[in-house]
Amino acid sequence: MIYRIFFLLIIVSSAVHAQPSDFIILKKKDKTIQSFYAGTQIEFVTTSGAYRNAFIKRIAHDTLFLQEFLIRRIPTQLGFYITDTAGSFRFAYHYNQIASFGKKQKGFNLSGSGASLLGGGILLTLASGVVFLVDRDKFSPALLGASVGLGALGYLLLKAGNKRIVIGKRNYRMEYINVSNEKK
C-alpha cells in the first residue's frame, strides 16, 4: 500500500509544471540593488507624479500589474480603532514610468531647508569676508563662525533629506528580465 502511494506521488509531482515569472531589477552601475517579483510590495513615484505603494500581482511584457489596497482606521463604539480594508485599486505601469523609489515628500521639506541654510551660510560667510577686507574694526569672528556653522548644518540637512532613489541619477537604472516562454 505504501509503495502505491509513493509511486502515485512521484507520478503526480513529475506532471506539475511551474510557470516562470518575469522580474525587474534596480541597478546602480552594474550592481543589483533590489529585485521586484510578482508577490512583492513596491513603493514608487511615477513620471506623472502619482505615488504608489502597492502589491505586484504579476509582471509581463515590460508592465507591472499592481493592486493597491485602501486601508482606513475606523473608530468603534468602545473608543478604540480598528484597521479595515475599504477597497482596492488595480493599476498597470510600464517599468519606464517609474521615476523614483521611496515616499513622496510630505510635510516638512528637509532638503529644501538644508539648501536654504547652506545658501544663507555661504552668503553670510562671503559678507563677513568683504567686511574683513573693507573695515577690520567692524569684523566679527563670531558671525563668521556662526555662518560657517549654518552652512555646514545646511549641507548635512541637504544630504539627509535626499532619501529617494531617482532613476537616471547617480547611475541608477531599471532592467526588465523576461524569463517566461511567451513571445512579445
Side-chain angles (χ1 to χ4, degrees):
M1 180 68 178
I2 299 265
Y3 294 114
R4 287 183 186 175
I5 294 174
F6 183 70
F7 182 70
L8 184 63
L9 285 176
I10 288 176
I11 290 174
V12 170
S13 67
S14 65
V16 175
H17 297 284
Q19 180 180 356
S21 176
D22 298 347
F23 59 97
I24 293 176
I25 298 174
L26 173 65
K27 287 189 169 188
K28 182 175 183 178
K29 296 181 183 173
D30 287 330
K31 184 179 177 185
T32 300
I33 303 295
Q34 192 171 5
S35 300
F36 299 100
Y37 301 92
T40 60
Q41 194 77 13
I42 188 168
E43 181 179 17
F44 63 92
V45 177
T46 65
T47 53
S48 61
Y51 168 75
R52 296 286 176 242
N53 185 359
F55 178 75
I56 301 175
K57 293 297 276 184
R58 71 183 177 107
I59 300 173
H61 305 296
D62 301 348
T63 304
L64 286 96
F65 296 94
L66 308 172
Q67 184 173 14
E68 187 173 21
F69 296 99
L70 180 61
I71 298 173
R72 301 283 177 158
R73 289 184 62 197
I74 300 171
T76 64
Q77 292 178 350
L78 300 175
F80 61 90
Y81 290 90
I82 59 170
T83 56
D84 186 26
T85 304
S88 68
F89 305 99
R90 295 184 187 270
F91 301 100
Y93 288 104
H94 191 273
Y95 80 98
N96 286 335
Q97 290 179 308
I98 298 175
S100 65
F101 287 98
K103 291 190 177 196
K104 196 172 185 180
Q105 181 68 40
K106 284 185 179 180
F108 185 71
N109 189 351
L110 198 62
S111 62
S113 299
S116 297
L117 282 175
L118 178 64
I122 290 172
L123 186 65
L124 282 174
T125 303
L126 290 175
S128 291
V130 169
V131 168
F132 179 75
L133 293 175
V134 174
D135 190 9
R136 292 185 187 204
D137 293 335
K138 294 184 178 178
F139 174 71
S140 171
L143 179 63
L144 178 65
S147 62
V148 169
L150 282 177
L153 179 65
Y155 177 76
L156 293 175
L157 286 176
L158 185 64
K159 288 298 179 184
N162 293 331
K163 296 280 186 200
R164 293 186 358 199
I165 297 174
V166 179
I167 306 300
K169 288 189 178 178
R170 297 188 194 123
N171 298 320
Y172 286 108
R173 62 187 172 90
M174 301 277 294
E175 254 185 50
Y176 171 73
I177 308 297
N178 183 8
V179 293
S180 63
N181 296 332
E182 297 176 19
K183 300 289 182 189
K184 283 187 179 183

